[in-house]
Amino acid sequence: NLTKDSYQTPDLQFEAALEMNDLQLAYTLASESASKYRWNKLATAALLKSNFELSQECRKRIAGKIAFLNFVHNTGKSLSETLILGST
């Protein structure tokens, strides 16, 4: 049985979990990371196993991260523009 301690790095643990079809462990490992790559791989693996609920959850996580990054980028841009314009 695969455990989180079976492999040295989180990336290897995640890949091994997918290879062993341990989607629950893969989900746990994806949750511990900010990796869009992991969520994409898990979404695909879940879809191949007809686990549509998990696949949809993964896609939501990916979309949420993208929305958050866009928000941070745009907020940072607005803040820097305000600081530059305010200093002149």
Side-chain angles (χ1 to χ4, degrees), residues 29-42:
L29 292 165
S31 297
E32 294 172 356
S33 167
S35 172
K36 190 173 92 169
Y37 168 80
R38 286 188 190 178
W39 288 113
N40 262 326
K41 292 241 352 186
L42 182 54

Side-chain angles (χ1 to χ4, degrees), residues 8-81:
Q8 294 178 342
T9 68
D11 288 334
L12 289 175
Q13 292 171 358
F14 178 76
E15 294 297 332
L18 288 179
E19 285 181 32
M20 303 286 286
N21 293 316
D22 189 341
L23 299 182
Q24 184 175 5
L25 178 56
Y27 180 86
T28 299
L29 292 165
S31 297
E32 294 172 356
S33 167
S35 172
K36 190 173 92 169
Y37 168 80
R38 286 188 190 178
W39 288 113
N40 262 326
K41 292 241 352 186
L42 182 54
T44 301
L47 191 59
L48 291 171
K49 291 290 181 187
S50 299
N51 189 335
F52 303 114
E53 186 176 324
L54 177 58
S55 183
Q56 184 176 12
E57 169 68 21
C58 294
R59 296 291 177 204
K60 285 180 186 176
R61 297 262 185 153
I62 293 165
K65 288 181 188 312
I66 291 169
F68 176 73
L69 290 174
N70 284 334
F71 170 76
V72 169
H73 173 74
N74 291 332
T75 302
K77 192 174 183 182
S78 297
L79 180 58
S80 65
E81 288 172 356

